[in-house]
Amino acid sequence: STVLRTVGSTFSVSVSISSANKAMNAASGIISFPRDQLEVMSISKTNSVINLWVQEPTFSNTQGTVSFEGIALNPGFIGSRGVILTITFRTKSVGQANIKFSSGSVLANDGVGTNILDGLGNATISIQAIPAPQDTSDKKPKLETIEMPKESKTTEIDISTPLEIPVITYYQEEVQSGDFIKIQGIAN
C-alpha cells in the first residue's frame, strides 16, 4: 500500500514477522531505502520479539540501508505480526520512495535452523511538496476590540482649567496588534 507524506515530515515503519506454523528463533535482514528521498532518524527495539541481538540494528543514510540480526530465545516466536524493530524516517524530497528488503532470512527453532522465509514485504511512500499556506486575509485592516483589565484603577483629572489643544508633532503610522500607539505633541 502507498502512504502519502509531505517533504520534511516524519513517519515510522514497523518491521515485523509472521510465523503461524513453526516457531522462529532467528531473523536477519538488510532493508534498503532511497537515500535522496528518505533518511533514518532513529531505530527502536521496543517490544521486539528478538531477545538477543547478534548484530545491533544499525543504519547508514549515506548507503541507504538498515541492517539487523537477532535471536528469539526458546521457545522462539510463533504468531502474526511480531515486531522486530521500528524505523523512524524523515522525508527529504518529492517522489515515490520504496522501502524494501534487499536480503533477509528467518530460521526455524527446529535444531537445524531451517530457513522458513517465504516472502519479503515492502512499503511505498508517496512524498509531496509542502502545501503553500492559505492566505485567508481579505487585505483589509481588522478592527480589534481592546478591553481594559478589570483590575485597572480610574485616574481622575481636574479639567476645571480649559486645556489647550495640542499640536501633534509625531504619530506612529503603523501599529501592530498588541503595541502601544505613540503620539507626540506640544501645547501652549
Side-chain angles (χ1 to χ4, degrees):
S1 61
T2 302
V3 179
L4 184 64
R5 292 287 182 269
T6 55
V7 172
S9 63
T10 58
F11 64 95
S12 295
V13 173
S14 291
V15 179
S16 59
I17 187 169
S18 294
S19 182
N21 302 320
K22 295 182 180 179
M24 174 277 296
N25 79 334
S28 64
I30 299 175
I31 300 165
S32 62
F33 59 90
R35 60 190 184 205
D36 59 328
Q37 293 176 294
L38 298 174
E39 67 178 343
V40 175
M41 304 298 289
S42 64
I43 297 176
S44 171
K45 300 180 294 184
T46 304
N47 300 323
S48 177
V49 298
I50 300 296
N51 312 105
L52 178 65
W53 294 95
V54 178
Q55 177 194 331
E56 284 285 330
T58 58
F59 65 89
S60 169
N61 284 323
T62 55
Q63 295 180 0
T65 58
V66 175
S67 305
F68 66 90
E69 184 177 358
I71 296 170
L73 301 174
N74 267 336
F77 170 77
I78 188 166
S80 63
R81 293 190 176 273
V83 174
I84 295 175
L85 51 87
T86 302
I87 310 166
T88 300
F89 288 97
R90 186 181 76 85
T91 57
K92 293 170 65 177
S93 63
V94 172
Q96 295 284 111
N98 295 311
I99 303 169
K100 60 186 179 181
F101 277 92
S102 54
S103 67
S105 68
V106 177
L107 306 182
N109 190 22
D110 59 3
V112 292
T114 304
N115 191 352
I116 56 174
L117 181 66
D118 64 0
L120 293 167
N122 59 66
T124 302
I125 311 298
S126 181
I127 307 169
Q128 293 188 338
I130 299 172
Q134 297 296 318
D135 186 2
T136 56
S137 68
D138 53 7
K139 306 300 182 191
K140 293 179 182 175
K142 294 179 180 178
L143 181 64
E144 295 190 13
T145 303
I146 301 172
E147 293 185 9
M148 294 296 290
K150 292 179 180 176
E151 304 81 29
S152 52
K153 298 177 181 178
T154 303
T155 302
E156 295 181 0
I157 302 173
D158 182 3
I159 57 169
S160 56
T161 305
L163 296 175
E164 296 287 336
I165 298 174
V167 176
I168 304 300
T169 57
Y170 167 82
Y171 65 91
Q172 192 172 349
E173 294 184 7
E174 292 185 13
V175 179
Q176 299 294 324
S177 176
D179 286 352
F180 291 100
I181 299 173
K182 297 177 183 174
I183 299 174
Q184 293 177 349
I186 55 173
N188 295 328

